[in-house]
Amino acid sequence: MRIKWFSFVRIAGLLAVLSYHFFSNAYSGGFIGVDIFFTFSGFLITALMIDEFAKSRQFKLIKFYQRRFNRIVPPLLLSILVVIPFTYFVSPDYITGLGKQVAAAIGFTTNYFEIATGGSYESKFIPHLFVHTWSLAVEMHFYILWGLVVALIAKRLRHSQLSQGEALKTFRVRLSMLSMIVIIISVSVMGLRSFGLTDYSAVYFSSLTHCFPFFVGALTATLTGIQSIPRRFMKQLKHAKPLTTVIEISGAFIILGVLGYVMTFDSHFTYLGGLLLASVISAFAIVKARTLHQVTPNIDEPKWATFIADISYSMYLYHWPLFVIFSQMTSVFWAVILTVAIGVPCSAISYYIIEPILAGKHPHAIKKVNTLPKVKSLMLLVTIVLLGVTGYTIYQAPNLTSLEQRLWTGSLYQARDNLNTTKDVVAASIKQQKLAKENKKAATIPKGVSVIGDSVTLGTRDYLQKNVADSTVDAAGERTMDLAYQVMMRAQSNKILRQNVVICIGTNALAGSQEQLNKLVHDLAPGHRLIIVTPYDRRADDTWNSSKLADFERSLPQKYDYVTVADWQKKAQKHPEVFEGTDGVHFAGRHAGDVIYAETINEGLQTAVKGPVKK
């Protein structure tokens, strides 16, 4: 039984996700589209479970797993095979660790793979092509565990002495109670674990903390349903009015749309109740869609809506990797056009032709029976070719991106050089302290420059040490402001922090970076000058944390006379050629990038030395 108007719930989820990935700056909360999908899946699966139990007083677990496998796995495998040949149009960096990504995707463990590797839609410079399959992992975990639990409940009730009506009522009640318990646990754990975090990826990706939308949908199914409907909800259906229902469901979609604009990935509110709110509103929309089906018996759902809903799952699979690839080749506008132009036909072929064939059915899209063998032969040939391309691509995929290789090499050289430099600085510091003690004067601070930076600084470290006079460089990939603070304080306590301290942090700016920088400024010992290098990210607009941090940094010299800003953001914007073909943050070891980065720091130092040190 196909429920009319459910298609619009699927479409709402798909549009939210696509808008978020295509235009994340403009639609920062579109990730709630995943929660719309989760809620709908929980509702639909649980409602079908109840319908099956109502008919036969049992729930066939193996057949349930088979249906889920046939619906989820073939489109996933097909999307991987189709997407991988497109990777030859971009840098090999985009297939780094491809084998692990594919294994995680088809093993439905992408969410924990991303947690383990520090993955995030928000912060990765080279995003994983299949990071979006984290949601499939959570969904599959739900299907496996919920299916098992429901089968056990159904088995116990099947052999009970209860009448069919009483057994069905008990079945609903138990599923309802379990759903409520899981919702409370999942929401509570997400909220508690979110406290103190600056990167929320771990609580976002986790199956435990992000499973509650499924159970919001499941709870809704126990109270309403599809074919087997409780009396209370049946009464509501009888009294429902088409116009009122249309207004209510439209209001729900409008609220979801507004949430997509106001919510952000790095907001604590998102994890303290924002996602739950989106799930509850989605459940309301689902109920109203079910109601609208009942009160519009003579109105058909638009064919275009049915089509989009049918291909929504496959389109979700295709859109992310295709967009990542095409956005490296052209503008966002054309990347979106290409993604849709390729993703929609592939999704339609998958749903209307390939999936039915693999399920042993004759596709309705193929009218002539004698055409089917030719289609199967073509499918086999294309599959063999794509398997060969995929296998070869995975085999020769690098384990590290070119940037990671440079940073790893730079880290080794830094460790060697810092060891020798630290010995010299410590020796000089001890000598100065000894002389100061003998002369009964305060120990002097080591002269020179201490540069503390992130991966951008690490990538140009050798050039900096040669072209920033009397400097030491301590840089590391993915270093955040709080980590930079720790590095500075450790050097300060060991008496090796030089007089002029250069902080090149901010590309990895997370919520709380401004507070951490304030703490760094406050705890810097007297006798030092602070030079802050603003972060640059070509992708960022004014709403990004790195941009907000840069604006905040520019205000500090007005408050503190010992603080100077070296504006790398403005300098880099004047040299777009340095970032061509890169992630827009690192300049790929280009000498021109090394030169202007060092110039920026030296200009900041020249201004700083004319001013006072901290009193």
Side-chain angles (χ1 to χ4, degrees):
M1 178 182 179
R2 179 157 189 157
I3 303 297
K4 296 178 299 183
W5 318 117
F6 272 176
S7 294
F8 286 88
V9 179
R10 288 193 177 101
I11 292 171
L14 180 64
L15 289 179
V17 172
L18 295 185
S19 299
Y20 172 58
H21 288 157
F22 293 163
F23 314 107
S24 59
N25 294 341
Y27 201 64
S28 61
F31 50 82
I32 65 170
V34 171
D35 297 275
I36 296 174
F37 279 130
F38 282 180
T39 307
F40 183 77
S41 293
F43 172 86
L44 185 61
I45 292 303
T46 306
L48 294 176
M49 289 172 169
I50 294 172
D51 288 346
E52 182 179 346
F53 186 82
K55 291 177 181 178
S56 61
R57 197 164 175 166
Q58 61 180 325
F59 172 68
K60 296 179 180 179
L61 181 62
I62 300 303
K63 288 189 175 181
F64 169 73
Y65 285 159
Q66 288 176 340
R67 290 193 298 270
R68 292 297 86 206
F69 180 90
N70 290 338
R71 182 67 188 99
I72 293 176
V73 176
L76 172 62
L77 295 177
L78 180 63
S79 67
I80 292 172
L81 293 178
V82 170
V83 162
I84 285 180
F86 286 96
T87 61
Y88 286 89
F89 292 107
V90 293
S91 165
D93 287 346
Y94 285 85
I95 59 170
T96 300
L98 183 62
K100 294 178 182 179
Q101 292 186 53
V102 171
I106 63 179
F108 299 102
T109 56
T110 298
N111 58 333
Y112 291 112
F113 173 74
E114 293 299 325
I115 291 173
T117 58
S120 171
Y121 285 150
E122 296 288 299
S123 63
K124 266 200 172 295
F125 296 121
I126 304 294
H128 289 163
L129 290 178
F130 302 108
V131 62
H132 65 311
T133 61
W134 74 270
S135 62
L136 300 188
V138 179
E139 189 165 1
M140 187 61 79
H141 300 163
F142 165 74
Y143 291 149
I144 292 172
L145 296 177
W146 189 231
L148 183 60
V149 169
V150 171
L152 291 174
I153 294 173
K155 184 176 181 180
R156 290 179 64 88
L157 290 175
R158 183 184 182 187
H159 300 292
S160 69
Q161 300 300 315
L162 297 173
S163 66
Q164 178 63 14
E166 291 174 335
L168 178 58
K169 183 177 180 180
T170 303
F171 187 65
R172 285 182 180 277
V173 169
R174 291 184 181 180
L175 297 190
S176 177
M177 294 300 294
L178 280 173
S179 297
M180 290 179 64
I181 291 171
V182 176
I183 292 169
I184 293 171
I185 292 174
S186 179
V187 170
S188 299
V189 174
M190 174 176 274
L192 291 172
R193 288 187 59 190
S194 67
F195 280 99
L197 295 181
T198 52
D199 181 4
Y200 298 97
S201 297
V203 294
Y204 184 75
F205 285 136
S206 172
S207 294
L208 173 61
T209 54
H210 209 152
C211 69
F212 61 85
F214 291 102
F215 291 95
V216 170
L219 177 61
T220 305
T222 64
L223 301 175
T224 57
I226 294 179
Q227 289 183 302
S228 177
I229 301 174
R231 292 180 181 178
R232 182 176 297 179
F233 185 58
M234 182 61 75
K235 290 180 180 179
Q236 294 179 16
L237 291 178
K238 290 180 179 179
H239 292 91
K241 303 296 181 182
L243 180 58
T244 303
T245 306
V246 169
I247 293 173
E248 290 172 335
I249 193 172
S250 299
F253 287 140
I254 290 172
I255 294 173
L256 287 172
V258 172
L259 281 178
Y261 275 107
V262 301
M263 290 178 65
T264 58
F265 190 84
D266 58 1
S267 169
H268 199 191
F269 164 75
T270 298
Y271 307 93
L272 286 180
L275 295 179
L276 176 61
L277 177 61
S279 301
V280 171
I281 296 172
S282 300
F284 179 82
I286 291 168
V287 173
K288 293 306 169 182
R290 176 65 184 88
T291 304
L292 193 59
H293 170 87
Q294 198 77 14
V295 298
T296 56
N298 299 318
I299 301 177
D300 294 328
E301 188 176 59
K303 291 184 178 180
W304 63 264
T306 302
F307 172 75
I308 296 175
D310 286 345
I311 69 169
S312 60
Y313 168 55
S314 291
M315 189 60 196
Y316 176 82
L317 293 174
Y318 283 105
H319 86 281
W320 173 256
L322 289 177
F323 179 69
V324 168
I325 291 169
F326 292 137
S327 61
Q328 302 306 308
M329 301 166 55
T330 183
S331 65
V332 170
F333 173 80
W334 283 110
V336 171
I337 296 297
L338 289 171
T339 298
V340 174
I342 294 173
V344 170
C346 287
S347 300
I349 292 171
S350 174
Y351 183 82
Y352 292 113
I353 298 177
I354 297 177
E355 292 175 50
I357 290 176
L358 294 178
K361 302 175 182 178
H362 184 90
H364 295 298
I366 299 177
K367 303 299 182 183
K368 297 181 180 179
V369 177
N370 59 357
T371 306
L372 188 57
K374 296 179 182 179
V375 173
K376 289 183 177 180
S377 298
L378 180 60
M379 278 178 53
L380 180 61
L381 177 61
V382 172
T383 300
I384 292 173
V385 172
L386 291 178
L387 280 172
V389 173
T390 299
Y392 174 75
T393 306
I394 290 175
Y395 174 75
Q396 55 88 42
N399 292 320
L400 297 173
T401 66
S402 56
L403 172 62
E404 289 171 334
Q405 293 173 15
R406 287 193 300 274
L407 297 185
W408 183 71
T409 303
S411 296
L412 293 178
Y413 284 123
Q414 176 174 277
R416 181 200 65 188
D417 295 345
N418 281 357
L419 181 62
N420 295 328
T421 302
T422 300
K423 287 180 180 179
D424 295 339
V425 174
V426 168
S429 178
I430 292 174
K431 183 177 181 180
Q432 289 174 352
Q433 292 180 54
K434 185 177 180 181
L435 290 173
K437 186 175 181 181
E438 291 174 353
N439 297 323
K440 296 182 179 181
K441 295 180 179 179
T444 57
I445 293 172
K447 300 295 183 182
V449 181
S450 289
V451 180
I452 300 173
D454 55 20
S455 57
V456 177
T457 312
L458 183 57
T460 185
R461 175 184 172 278
D462 289 343
Y463 187 85
L464 285 182
Q465 291 207 146
K466 295 174 183 177
N467 292 275
V468 176
D470 196 15
S471 66
T472 60
V473 179
D474 187 319
E478 299 186 0
R479 179 174 281 171
T480 51
M481 194 65 72
D482 58 327
L483 297 177
Y485 171 83
Q486 294 175 19
V487 172
M488 187 191 79
M489 295 305 293
R490 186 163 54 248
Q492 188 167 277
S493 64
N494 291 331
K495 310 298 183 183
I496 60 172
L497 187 67
R498 299 190 175 192
Q499 186 176 52
N500 299 311
V501 181
V502 180
I503 300 295
C504 311
I505 301 291
T507 304
N508 305 295
L510 300 171
S513 293
Q514 294 183 20
E515 290 77 8
Q516 288 291 338
L517 180 56
N518 267 331
K519 185 177 181 183
L520 185 150
V521 172
H522 179 268
D523 292 348
L524 179 68
H528 293 281
R529 300 184 185 92
L530 185 62
I531 298 89
I532 301 174
V533 179
T534 58
Y536 173 69
D537 189 332
R538 184 178 58 190
R539 305 165 300 175
D541 63 13
D542 294 340
T543 66
W544 283 46
N545 284 331
S546 58
S547 299
K548 293 176 182 178
L549 178 62
D551 290 338
F552 174 73
E553 289 171 343
R554 294 187 187 100
S555 70
L556 292 178
Q558 301 171 16
K559 301 177 183 178
Y560 309 101
D561 57 5
Y562 58 90
V563 174
T564 303
V565 169
D567 212 326
W568 169 241
Q569 186 186 63
K570 291 184 177 179
K571 188 94 166 183
Q573 287 172 346
K574 298 177 182 179
H575 297 275
E577 72 282 356
V578 171
F579 299 94
E580 289 181 2
T582 73
D583 56 22
V585 174
H586 307 88
F587 33 84
R590 291 182 176 139
H591 179 66
D594 295 334
V595 171
I596 61 174
Y597 193 77
E599 283 179 355
T600 302
I601 292 177
N602 280 324
E603 288 169 1
L605 285 167
Q606 290 169 10
T607 301
V609 296
K610 297 176 182 178
V613 297
K614 185 176 183 179
K615 303 299 184 184

